[in-house]
Amino acid sequence: MVYKAHIQCRKYGKIKQPTLKDIVEFKKDLEREDKNMLLLRHPYLTAEQSHGHMKEIKKAKMFSLLNTWREETNEKFNRRVTAADRLNYLTINEAWD
């Protein structure tokens, strides 16, 4: 049993000879890559159809994110703070006898 660690890639290293399994896997990889390139060369939508087809969805998503951000900032800074809230640390919780 030969481990890959024994095959060295140095000046006098051993070079692994390709097996039948390696050749078949390489052929499958090339076929898969060819199928992917065919799909990329012939897209589902043309350039004119794909231009701006997500415009409304992106706009709605941006507005929803902006509204949530505004609500969060309003919750932080638009609270009603009274003098009783500011001086609450002065209250004494323990009852003296």
Side-chain angles (χ1 to χ4, degrees):
M1 182 176 196
V2 177
Y3 294 104
K4 290 186 178 183
H6 294 292
I7 300 172
Q8 300 172 357
C9 296
R10 296 185 183 148
K11 188 174 180 180
Y12 301 108
K14 300 174 189 175
I15 298 173
K16 179 185 172 189
Q17 297 297 322
T19 60
L20 183 63
K21 180 183 174 188
D22 295 332
I23 294 170
V24 170
E25 285 179 1
F26 185 67
K27 185 178 176 185
K28 285 182 182 178
D29 287 342
L30 288 178
E31 289 173 355
R32 185 180 340 119
E33 187 175 331
D34 189 37
K35 287 180 184 177
N36 290 340
M37 289 304 293
L38 180 68
L39 290 172
L40 290 173
R41 273 182 265 152
H42 304 289
Y44 181 72
L45 296 175
T46 63
E48 293 84 14
Q49 290 172 336
S50 66
H51 180 71
H53 75 284
M54 292 286 289
K55 189 175 184 179
E56 292 84 15
I57 296 171
K58 286 183 181 179
K59 193 173 185 180
K61 187 176 180 181
M62 185 203 49
F63 278 129
S64 68
L65 287 174
L66 188 63
N67 285 338
T68 56
W69 177 75
R70 284 181 180 161
E71 288 172 2
E72 289 174 1
T73 55
N74 285 341
E75 286 175 4
K76 287 181 187 176
F77 297 109
N78 290 342
R79 289 187 301 207
R80 294 221 179 245
V81 180
T82 61
D85 293 335
R86 294 282 184 181
L87 301 174
N88 193 23
Y89 68 94
L90 295 175
T91 58
I92 298 171
N93 295 332
E94 297 177 3
W96 291 85
D97 292 336

Short mmCIF file of all heavy atoms in Angstrom, two decimals, residues 9-35:
data_model
loop_
_atom_site.label_atom_id
_atom_site.label_comp_id
_atom_site.label_asym_id
_atom_site.label_seq_id
_atom_site.Cartn_x
_atom_site.Cartn_y
_atom_site.Cartn_z
N CYS A 9 7.32 15.47 -4.47
CA CYS A 9 7.33 16.39 -5.60
C CYS A 9 8.58 17.25 -5.51
O CYS A 9 8.51 18.47 -5.37
CB CYS A 9 6.08 17.26 -5.61
SG CYS A 9 4.58 16.32 -5.83
N ARG A 10 9.71 16.62 -5.57
CA ARG A 10 10.97 17.34 -5.47
C ARG A 10 11.78 17.09 -6.74
O ARG A 10 11.29 16.56 -7.71
CB ARG A 10 11.74 16.90 -4.23
CG ARG A 10 11.01 17.26 -2.95
CD ARG A 10 11.84 16.91 -1.74
NE ARG A 10 11.06 17.21 -0.54
CZ ARG A 10 11.15 16.54 0.58
NH1 ARG A 10 12.00 15.53 0.68
NH2 ARG A 10 10.43 16.87 1.61
N LYS A 11 13.05 17.43 -6.67
CA LYS A 11 13.91 17.30 -7.84
C LYS A 11 14.01 15.86 -8.32
O LYS A 11 13.92 15.58 -9.51
CB LYS A 11 15.29 17.85 -7.51
CG LYS A 11 16.23 17.95 -8.68
CD LYS A 11 17.50 18.64 -8.27
CE LYS A 11 18.45 18.74 -9.44
NZ LYS A 11 19.70 19.41 -9.06
N TYR A 12 14.15 14.93 -7.39
CA TYR A 12 14.26 13.52 -7.74
C TYR A 12 13.05 12.74 -7.24
O TYR A 12 13.17 11.56 -6.91
CB TYR A 12 15.54 12.93 -7.15
CG TYR A 12 16.78 13.63 -7.63
CD1 TYR A 12 17.50 14.46 -6.78
CD2 TYR A 12 17.21 13.49 -8.94
CE1 TYR A 12 18.63 15.11 -7.21
CE2 TYR A 12 18.34 14.15 -9.39
CZ TYR A 12 19.05 14.96 -8.53
OH TYR A 12 20.16 15.61 -8.97
N GLY A 13 11.91 13.37 -7.19
CA GLY A 13 10.72 12.73 -6.65
C GLY A 13 10.10 11.75 -7.62
O GLY A 13 10.36 11.76 -8.82
N LYS A 14 9.26 10.90 -7.08
CA LYS A 14 8.55 9.92 -7.89
C LYS A 14 7.29 10.57 -8.45
O LYS A 14 6.65 11.37 -7.78
CB LYS A 14 8.15 8.73 -7.04
CG LYS A 14 9.32 8.01 -6.43
CD LYS A 14 8.81 6.93 -5.51
CE LYS A 14 9.95 6.33 -4.70
NZ LYS A 14 9.47 5.38 -3.71
N ILE A 15 6.92 10.23 -9.64
CA ILE A 15 5.71 10.75 -10.26
C ILE A 15 4.72 9.60 -10.36
O ILE A 15 5.03 8.53 -10.90
CB ILE A 15 6.01 11.32 -11.66
CG1 ILE A 15 6.98 12.49 -11.53
CG2 ILE A 15 4.72 11.78 -12.33
CD1 ILE A 15 7.46 13.03 -12.84
N LYS A 16 3.52 9.82 -9.85
CA LYS A 16 2.50 8.78 -9.85
C LYS A 16 1.96 8.60 -11.26
O LYS A 16 1.57 9.56 -11.93
CB LYS A 16 1.38 9.17 -8.90
CG LYS A 16 0.25 8.19 -8.83
CD LYS A 16 -0.88 8.69 -7.96
CE LYS A 16 -2.06 7.77 -8.08
NZ LYS A 16 -3.25 8.32 -7.45
N GLN A 17 1.91 7.37 -11.70
CA GLN A 17 1.34 7.07 -13.00
C GLN A 17 -0.18 7.04 -12.89
O GLN A 17 -0.72 6.50 -11.92
CB GLN A 17 1.85 5.71 -13.49
CG GLN A 17 3.34 5.67 -13.70
CD GLN A 17 3.79 6.63 -14.79
OE1 GLN A 17 3.12 6.79 -15.79
NE2 GLN A 17 4.93 7.27 -14.57
N PRO A 18 -0.89 7.63 -13.86
CA PRO A 18 -2.36 7.64 -13.77
C PRO A 18 -2.93 6.25 -13.96
O PRO A 18 -2.49 5.50 -14.83
CB PRO A 18 -2.78 8.58 -14.91
CG PRO A 18 -1.63 8.63 -15.84
CD PRO A 18 -0.41 8.36 -15.03
N THR A 19 -3.91 5.93 -13.14
CA THR A 19 -4.58 4.63 -13.24
C THR A 19 -5.82 4.78 -14.10
O THR A 19 -6.19 5.89 -14.52
CB THR A 19 -4.97 4.13 -11.85
OG1 THR A 19 -5.88 5.07 -11.26
CG2 THR A 19 -3.76 3.96 -10.95
N LEU A 20 -6.48 3.69 -14.36
CA LEU A 20 -7.70 3.72 -15.15
C LEU A 20 -8.79 4.52 -14.44
O LEU A 20 -9.54 5.27 -15.08
CB LEU A 20 -8.18 2.28 -15.42
CG LEU A 20 -9.42 2.14 -16.30
CD1 LEU A 20 -9.13 2.69 -17.69
CD2 LEU A 20 -9.86 0.70 -16.39
N LYS A 21 -8.83 4.40 -13.10
CA LYS A 21 -9.82 5.16 -12.32
C LYS A 21 -9.57 6.65 -12.45
O LYS A 21 -10.52 7.44 -12.60
CB LYS A 21 -9.72 4.74 -10.86
CG LYS A 21 -10.69 5.45 -9.95
CD LYS A 21 -10.48 5.04 -8.52
CE LYS A 21 -11.36 5.88 -7.61
NZ LYS A 21 -11.05 5.65 -6.20
N ASP A 22 -8.32 7.09 -12.41
CA ASP A 22 -7.99 8.50 -12.57
C ASP A 22 -8.42 9.02 -13.93
O ASP A 22 -8.95 10.13 -14.06
CB ASP A 22 -6.48 8.73 -12.38
CG ASP A 22 -6.02 8.40 -10.97
OD1 ASP A 22 -6.84 8.52 -10.04
OD2 ASP A 22 -4.84 8.04 -10.82
N ILE A 23 -8.22 8.21 -14.96
CA ILE A 23 -8.58 8.63 -16.32
C ILE A 23 -10.09 8.76 -16.44
O ILE A 23 -10.61 9.71 -17.03
CB ILE A 23 -8.01 7.63 -17.34
CG1 ILE A 23 -6.48 7.68 -17.32
CG2 ILE A 23 -8.53 7.93 -18.74
CD1 ILE A 23 -5.81 6.59 -18.10
N VAL A 24 -10.85 7.81 -15.87
CA VAL A 24 -12.31 7.86 -15.94
C VAL A 24 -12.83 9.08 -15.18
O VAL A 24 -13.73 9.79 -15.65
CB VAL A 24 -12.91 6.55 -15.38
CG1 VAL A 24 -14.41 6.67 -15.21
CG2 VAL A 24 -12.56 5.38 -16.30
N GLU A 25 -12.29 9.36 -14.00
CA GLU A 25 -12.72 10.53 -13.22
C GLU A 25 -12.41 11.82 -13.96
O GLU A 25 -13.21 12.75 -13.97
CB GLU A 25 -12.03 10.52 -11.86
CG GLU A 25 -12.59 9.51 -10.89
CD GLU A 25 -11.87 9.54 -9.55
OE1 GLU A 25 -10.94 10.35 -9.38
OE2 GLU A 25 -12.25 8.74 -8.67
N PHE A 26 -11.25 11.88 -14.61
CA PHE A 26 -10.88 13.06 -15.36
C PHE A 26 -11.83 13.27 -16.54
O PHE A 26 -12.25 14.39 -16.84
CB PHE A 26 -9.44 12.95 -15.86
CG PHE A 26 -8.93 14.16 -16.55
CD1 PHE A 26 -8.75 15.35 -15.86
CD2 PHE A 26 -8.64 14.13 -17.91
CE1 PHE A 26 -8.28 16.48 -16.49
CE2 PHE A 26 -8.19 15.26 -18.55
CZ PHE A 26 -8.00 16.43 -17.84
N LYS A 27 -12.21 12.16 -17.20
CA LYS A 27 -13.15 12.25 -18.31
C LYS A 27 -14.52 12.75 -17.84
O LYS A 27 -15.15 13.58 -18.47
CB LYS A 27 -13.28 10.88 -18.98
CG LYS A 27 -14.13 10.89 -20.22
CD LYS A 27 -14.18 9.53 -20.86
CE LYS A 27 -15.12 9.54 -22.05
NZ LYS A 27 -15.29 8.22 -22.63
N LYS A 28 -14.98 12.23 -16.67
CA LYS A 28 -16.26 12.68 -16.11
C LYS A 28 -16.22 14.18 -15.77
O LYS A 28 -17.18 14.91 -15.99
CB LYS A 28 -16.62 11.87 -14.87
CG LYS A 28 -17.11 10.48 -15.18
CD LYS A 28 -17.49 9.75 -13.89
CE LYS A 28 -17.93 8.35 -14.17
NZ LYS A 28 -18.25 7.61 -12.93
N ASP A 29 -15.09 14.62 -15.21
CA ASP A 29 -14.94 16.04 -14.88
C ASP A 29 -15.01 16.90 -16.13
O ASP A 29 -15.64 17.97 -16.13
CB ASP A 29 -13.62 16.28 -14.16
CG ASP A 29 -13.62 15.76 -12.74
OD1 ASP A 29 -14.73 15.53 -12.21
OD2 ASP A 29 -12.52 15.58 -12.18
N LEU A 30 -14.37 16.45 -17.20
CA LEU A 30 -14.41 17.21 -18.45
C LEU A 30 -15.82 17.26 -19.03
O LEU A 30 -16.25 18.30 -19.54
CB LEU A 30 -13.44 16.62 -19.47
CG LEU A 30 -11.96 16.84 -19.19
CD1 LEU A 30 -11.13 16.15 -20.24
CD2 LEU A 30 -11.64 18.32 -19.15
N GLU A 31 -16.55 16.15 -18.96
CA GLU A 31 -17.93 16.13 -19.46
C GLU A 31 -18.82 17.06 -18.65
O GLU A 31 -19.64 17.79 -19.20
CB GLU A 31 -18.47 14.70 -19.42
CG GLU A 31 -17.85 13.78 -20.44
CD GLU A 31 -18.27 12.34 -20.27
OE1 GLU A 31 -18.99 12.05 -19.28
OE2 GLU A 31 -17.88 11.52 -21.11
N ARG A 32 -18.66 17.04 -17.31
CA ARG A 32 -19.45 17.92 -16.45
C ARG A 32 -19.13 19.39 -16.74
O ARG A 32 -20.03 20.23 -16.83
CB ARG A 32 -19.17 17.61 -14.98
CG ARG A 32 -20.03 18.41 -14.02
CD ARG A 32 -19.77 18.11 -12.56
NE ARG A 32 -19.12 16.86 -12.30
CZ ARG A 32 -17.94 16.74 -11.70
NH1 ARG A 32 -17.28 17.81 -11.33
NH2 ARG A 32 -17.39 15.56 -11.47
N GLU A 33 -17.86 19.68 -16.92
CA GLU A 33 -17.46 21.05 -17.23
C GLU A 33 -18.01 21.49 -18.59
O GLU A 33 -18.43 22.63 -18.76
CB GLU A 33 -15.94 21.14 -17.23
CG GLU A 33 -15.41 22.55 -17.37
CD GLU A 33 -13.91 22.59 -17.24
OE1 GLU A 33 -13.33 21.75 -16.54
OE2 GLU A 33 -13.32 23.50 -17.86
N ASP A 34 -18.07 20.56 -19.55
CA ASP A 34 -18.61 20.88 -20.87
C ASP A 34 -20.11 21.19 -20.78
O ASP A 34 -20.60 22.13 -21.41
CB ASP A 34 -18.35 19.72 -21.83
CG ASP A 34 -18.69 20.08 -23.26
OD1 ASP A 34 -18.44 21.25 -23.64
OD2 ASP A 34 -19.21 19.21 -23.99
N LYS A 35 -20.83 20.41 -19.97
CA LYS A 35 -22.26 20.68 -19.78
C LYS A 35 -22.49 22.04 -19.14
O LYS A 35 -23.38 22.80 -19.53
CB LYS A 35 -22.90 19.60 -18.91
CG LYS A 35 -23.08 18.28 -19.60
CD LYS A 35 -23.72 17.27 -18.66
CE LYS A 35 -23.82 15.92 -19.29
NZ LYS A 35 -24.37 14.91 -18.37
#
